[in-house]
Amino acid sequence: MDFSQLSFWHSQIAELTPRAIPSDAGPFDVGIAGAGFSGLWTGIYLLRANPNLKVAIFEKEIAGFGASGRNGGWCSALFPWAPDQLAEKYGKEAAKQLRTAMVDTVQEVGRITKELGIDCDFQLSGTQYLIRSEAQRIKAKHELAAAEELGVDQLRKVSPELAPRATKVLGSVFDPACASIQPAKLVRGLAESFEKLGGVIFEKTEVLGLSEGRIKTSRGDFMAEYVVDALEGYRSTLRGKRRDSIPIYSLMVVTEVLPEELLNEMGLEPGITFADYRNLVIYGQRTKDNRIAFGGRGAPYHFGSSIKPGYDRNDRIHDQIEGVLLDLFPQLSTVKFEQRWGGALGVSRDWMASVRLDPKSKLGQAGGYVGDGVGTSNLAGRTMADLILGLSTPLTKLCWVQHQSPKWEFEPLRFIAARGALLGADIADQIEGVTGKRSLISKIIARLTGKG
Ligand SMILES: Cc1cc2nc3c(=O)[nH]c(=O)nc-3n(C[C@H](O)[C@H](O)[C@H](O)COP(=O)(O)OP(=O)(O)OC[C@H]3O[C@@H](n4cnc5c(N)ncnc54)[C@H](O)[C@@H]3O)c2cc1C
């Protein structure tokens, strides 16, 4: 497989050859399945806390093969459940603590990557959320009110004149708690840092099963006292975990390098990330080298939670994503799009992320980030490290720790639920585009998906 073809981000990485298989066959103190952000952050924080630990990561392809190398590069404070929904379930104080931890996490990623010497184009430029219809204005108002109620946020409303110059803009909300990054540079840099700290990575080593003290792989069984599932979007491919999470695809495109004047005229500051308040998520960033990397949901869920390389590219959805960007910024109508790609992200049945460790079996897992995993996986890694080290810290007391999501339905109900949510979001956007009012479908989906 030519890994440089996985995404635009991978194509910018000089070396993607799989690592030689380590000679150390264990036993390990900690064995982790999956060399994405979750697995690597866990390993790095563990080894920084205790350099004597023996930590191994087992990866089916290469470090950064999954969503961590392919994403939109929003290192944000976003969490799958909105603060008001967290407050409803766990109380206002718990919601406030989690939001504060997420905002701190954005800073932490900037801090630690600098310390580790990882150049991942980290630019703390914030996000502009465009308001482009009355329905979107209602959602923005709701979000601002919820943030104010919680009293932790620096979200601020921006007038139409100062918002990016997209079409139909009524204003925007600026969230400073987001950095743009080049995700493949980050994840590949993390893998190197993990090794420098003494960790070992078994690439081209498929995990076939995880159980107490044992990681069953395509290269035989490995023993580890603690076993961590950091497979996220791929979790459902493991036997016994099929209904724990579903893979949802998010797809992206990238433009050619654009003139700096054009981007400035469009009101897109260096490193800015942007979206609007539609139901079917979109996300864009001005890259360090002055392109626009832009993506969105809407790709179909595949029956039986199937994941295949062929699903990373879908002409119809990629055409739609390019169309959405051109609809936002017609100034780009003559611009060349250079690459298309996509990947799977993990969604649990209640759309809630979690980090868990069973103290008895010493089995742990982190994930279910629903596409908000760049920042959240760092918080997960730090928290998992604290849990494994047996520490009681502010992180281990956050409300998402030890959360247990219910299982997804058996097929075909899972297929109906997943496709229904995506289709519903699309229909809601179309209705709201015509009526200008928040649709009933969007309210129902918001309740079902945690975006209250
Ligand atoms: C197109 C796209 C855009 C996104 N944009 C954003 C964004 O802008 N901001 C944001 O916050 N989040 C975004 N996300 C989500 C974010 O990328 C993920 O939540 C995050 O990267 C998850 O990291 P992870 O380490 O948990 O999982 P992954 O990075 O998916 O890592 C799991 C690893 O496990 C490996 N693996 C799979 N099966 C096996 C097996 N059987 N044995 C061993 N290894 C295995 C995979 O190869 C992979 O490397 C996006 C996701 C996608 C797909």
Side-chain angles (χ1 to χ4, degrees), residues 33-39 58-62 64-76 205-208 230-234 237-238 250-252 283 341-345 366 369 371-375 377:
F37 291 146
S38 298
F58 302 88
E59 163 60 50
K60 186 176 175 191
E61 298 294 345
I62 56 166
F65 174 87
S68 298
R70 312 177 187 199
N71 58 70
W74 284 40
C75 179
S76 73
T205 304
E206 182 175 4
V207 171
L208 305 170
L231 298 175
E232 230 278 302
Y234 300 86
T237 60
L238 278 196
S250 199
L251 305 186
M252 293 197 67
Y283 46 91
W341 72 95
L345 48 92
Y369 311 125
D372 294 330
V374 176
S377 58

Side-chain angles (χ1 to χ4, degrees), residues 349-363:
R349 183 64 186 87
D350 55 3
W351 297 66
M352 174 71 175
S354 66
V355 52
R356 298 155 40 74
L357 180 74
D358 176 3
K360 252 179 98 190
S361 65
K362 299 184 178 175
L363 286 166

Side-chain angles (χ1 to χ4, degrees), residues 358-419:
D358 176 3
K360 252 179 98 190
S361 65
K362 299 184 178 175
L363 286 166
Q365 68 176 52
Y369 311 125
V370 196
D372 294 330
V374 176
T376 319
S377 58
N378 173 276
L379 184 62
R382 282 186 284 147
T383 309
M384 184 66 84
D386 285 354
L387 291 170
I388 289 174
L389 296 168
L391 303 173
S392 172
T393 65
L395 298 190
T396 62
K397 295 187 187 89
L398 292 171
C399 62
W400 72 315
V401 178
Q402 305 297 23
H403 172 83
Q404 170 82 66
S405 297
K407 284 194 183 293
W408 279 91
E409 290 79 358
F410 289 100
E411 294 290 23
L413 288 180
R414 195 158 78 235
F415 180 83
I416 294 166
R419 285 261 173 131

